[in-house]
Amino acid sequence: MSLAHRAANEVTEEKAPCHFGDRSSSDTVVRLRTSDGRDDWLYCHSHILIEKSKYFADRLSEKWPTCQILDSRNCVEVYCQESDFDSHVNVLRLFYVEESSRDDIWHGVRNALGILRVAVELECLQIVTACVNYMEAVPWEETEEEEILKTIPGMGSQVLPILSRLEPVNPSALMRIFRSAIQLATSSPPQDMNDLKTSAQEQLEYMLTEDDDEPLLKADDEIRSEVKQCMSRLFARFNSLLESLFCESSELAPEALHILQFYLSDLSWACQILTKLEIMRDLVICWMDASDKVVKIVHPSNPEPNSETIKTTVKIVEVAAKVLESIAYGNVILPASKRLHAVKVWLPFVRVAKPAIDSTTSIGDDTLELKVDGELWQSLESTFVSLVLTLPSGDQAEILTEWLGNNYIRYPDLTEAFEVWCYRSKVAKRRLAILDGNHGGSSTP
């Protein structure tokens, strides 16, 4: 055969496509083995292995001292874990796939992660790049995300783009999203947007909560200022609604009560946020100023209250409980006159609200929205006891006198406050005499 003819044949052979596993044209066997005894012979082509993988290029080079010959072919033994076996086979298959055709062959994130792990190990730069591009672009399930977090960090800088969606956000971007979220969470959007608003409220609370991780947002002056501004607008709209409802002489329509419920839900959520930020005072003042109107607009003692009235009452109790707790335990400092007013307004309301709510929830099955957690009633009772005991003794006597003669004496039960008042009153003269004696003794030269 002439030299030209031989060269033409070589060119033809070079252009002829090679196929993975084609034994007839293969010149190299990749012997894939596991510690469990699995031993597969994969028929490959040395020029493709060398082009696609630095690992195989080294194994098939003259530098490698023990290149075996098997079945008249070069043989490269590769040991792997059983769990990575299929990924090794997939990587070898990908050597034979055109780069432009790889986008739709990964078969999911978990499979791509296995391929990536092997491609990094075998130093297959093109496959690593293609795999990173795929995993960076597609959505992940939660379990996949956890596996990615366990696997990727040990693979080097070339795969780190995959983790770009998990990187911490810079403070300015975080503040921007917080500002947008708090504005939505305290707004009054159309009803079809209430789910979005609720989601914003939930995520804001999550951002500010310290659990296994630090809060996403630190309660600094900028955060507090933004929250105060948004809450101020919420309080203004709430007060405007109360004014309009207060002016209505007839019984409130269900639609009006429904709107009021949305505002009360917002205020209940606001209590959670403001407590975390330690700026509850503004809400307490707003609620105390509005208390007289609230209890007159919606009072459970009204004859035959409908379900909307009871739902509204439940929400009022939830907000009132959080506000009164802030006052009773000294988180928000109010003068004695304001504290006395709080007791005189809300003690009568709560003692009537509880039986009204309890009687409604005992009838019918669809009462989930009307239920109040038993712990809330218990906590509210403790709050009233603490609040009463902060008042001057004369005001305590007035409240306890009214309580002892009331039909609703069972709840809230002020027995503990009564016992403390009796003790303090009995020993008051002796205590004050001791104090007077101490003062007199200290002034003697």
Side-chain angles (χ1 to χ4, degrees):
M1 182 183 297
S2 67
L3 291 175
H5 191 192
R6 186 178 302 166
N9 284 344
E10 288 175 358
V11 170
T12 303
E13 288 175 4
E14 286 177 5
K15 288 185 178 179
C18 298
H19 300 285
F20 175 67
D22 183 4
R23 184 169 181 171
S24 62
S25 62
S26 166
D27 65 349
T28 303
V29 172
V30 175
R31 191 174 178 183
L32 197 54
R33 310 181 72 174
T34 70
S35 57
D36 297 332
R38 192 167 179 179
D39 184 358
D40 280 19
W41 291 16
L42 306 172
Y43 291 93
C44 303
H45 303 80
S46 58
H47 69 281
I48 290 180
L49 295 175
I50 290 168
E51 178 189 350
K52 303 294 184 180
S53 164
K54 185 175 184 305
Y55 171 83
F56 283 115
D58 290 341
R59 291 292 300 270
L60 293 169
S61 70
E62 295 178 356
K63 302 174 187 176
W64 199 266
T66 55
C67 183
Q68 303 179 29
I69 303 297
L70 184 68
D71 192 21
S72 303
R73 296 175 176 84
N74 294 320
C75 174
V76 179
E77 287 190 353
V78 178
Y79 287 87
C80 69
Q81 299 292 326
E82 182 66 34
S83 58
D84 286 335
F85 190 92
D86 289 342
S87 296
H88 278 77
V89 176
N90 287 333
V91 167
L92 292 172
R93 288 184 189 279
L94 287 172
F95 287 172
Y96 292 80
V97 176
E98 291 292 333
E99 191 171 350
S100 59
S101 307
R102 286 181 183 151
D103 285 351
D104 57 350
I105 60 170
W106 301 105
H107 305 297
V109 172
R110 197 177 300 276
N111 189 59
L113 186 59
I115 290 173
L116 177 62
R117 194 161 43 231
V118 173
V120 170
E121 180 185 329
L122 299 182
E123 301 178 85
C124 314
L125 183 58
Q126 287 184 350
I127 293 179
V128 167
T129 301
C131 204
V132 167
N133 291 341
Y134 168 80
M135 292 183 66
E136 189 274 334
V138 298
W140 308 333
E141 293 180 2
E142 187 176 350
T143 54
E144 294 169 343
E145 186 169 312
E146 293 301 320
E147 192 171 345
I148 287 169
L149 282 169
K150 291 177 185 175
T151 306
I152 294 298
M155 290 187 179
S157 59
Q158 58 188 337
V159 301
L160 289 182
I162 294 174
L163 300 180
S164 60
R165 69 184 70 176
L166 305 178
E167 292 174 353
V169 180
N170 67 66
S172 59
L174 189 55
M175 188 61 199
R176 285 195 299 272
I177 196 168
F178 172 78
R179 188 176 287 113
S180 297
I182 193 70
Q183 289 170 1
L184 173 60
T186 55
S187 66
S188 300
Q191 286 195 16
D192 59 0
M193 287 182 61
N194 280 328
D195 288 346
L196 297 174
K197 175 180 171 179
T198 300
S199 175
Q201 291 177 344
E202 290 172 352
Q203 294 313 309
L204 282 166
E205 190 169 352
Y206 177 72
M207 287 181 190
L208 294 165
T209 299
E210 182 173 2
D211 40 36
D212 293 339
D213 300 298
E214 292 183 358
L216 186 57
L217 290 162
K218 295 287 178 70
D220 58 18
D221 291 342
E222 186 179 8
I223 294 289
R224 289 192 177 95
S225 174
E226 186 66 36
V227 171
K228 281 185 174 183
Q229 290 178 36
C230 290
M231 293 299 175
S232 177
R233 292 191 287 269
L234 172 61
F235 301 156
R237 293 196 305 275
F238 175 65
N239 284 323
S240 296
L241 175 66
L242 289 181
E243 287 289 344
S244 64
L245 297 179
F246 192 67
C247 293
E248 294 185 17
S249 54
S250 59
E251 184 180 347
L252 294 182
E255 295 77 12
L257 288 172
H258 199 58
I259 295 171
L260 181 56
Q261 288 168 27
F262 279 114
Y263 276 99
L264 292 166
S265 295
D266 288 348
L267 291 176
S268 181
W269 167 79
C271 288
Q272 303 292 111
I273 296 297
L274 297 175
T275 299
K276 291 178 187 297
L277 296 174
E278 300 178 349
I279 49 173
M280 185 71 174
R281 184 177 182 81
D282 288 350
L283 189 146
V284 169
I285 298 298
C286 168
W287 183 256
M288 292 310 303
D289 289 344
S291 291
D292 290 319
K293 289 176 184 171
V294 171
V295 298
K296 287 177 182 175
I297 291 169
V298 182
H299 202 287
S301 65
N302 293 338
E304 299 182 5
N306 57 39
S307 62
E308 289 301 322
T309 300
I310 296 298
K311 284 180 186 176
T312 309
T313 302
V314 169
K315 294 185 179 298
I316 289 172
V317 168
E318 290 172 350
V319 178
K322 293 170 182 174
V323 170
L324 293 173
E325 183 178 314
S326 294
I327 301 170
Y329 298 110
N331 298 320
V332 175
I333 304 301
L334 293 183
S337 59
K338 294 281 189 182
R339 301 199 304 275
L340 177 61
H341 180 68
V343 174
K344 286 187 171 183
V345 171
W346 290 107
L347 187 61
F349 182 89
V350 168
R351 63 165 53 128
V352 174
K354 186 177 188 300
I357 293 169
D358 289 347
S359 63
T360 305
T361 55
S362 63
I363 336 174
D365 300 323
D366 189 20
T367 57
L368 185 60
E369 289 184 82
L370 305 179
K371 288 185 179 177
V372 174
D373 193 311
E375 290 185 6
L376 177 59
W377 290 125
Q378 187 176 351
S379 172
L380 191 51
E381 184 175 76
S382 299
T383 296
F384 274 116
V385 170
S386 295
L387 193 50
V388 169
L389 290 174
T390 67
L391 298 173
S393 55
D395 293 334
Q396 293 182 42
E398 179 187 349
I399 291 165
L400 291 170
T401 300
E402 190 275 336
W403 166 71
L404 287 166
N406 196 281
N407 292 331
Y408 295 96
I409 191 173
R410 291 183 179 275
Y411 187 87
D413 185 352
L414 301 182
T415 300
E416 183 182 345
F418 183 38
E419 291 172 352
V420 173
W421 178 86
C422 287
Y423 171 76
R424 285 175 175 173
S425 299
K426 187 174 183 180
V427 302
K429 288 182 180 180
R430 176 165 51 86
R431 281 178 164 178
L432 293 176
I434 292 171
L435 288 173
D436 288 342
N438 288 339
H439 286 306
S442 62
S443 62
T444 304

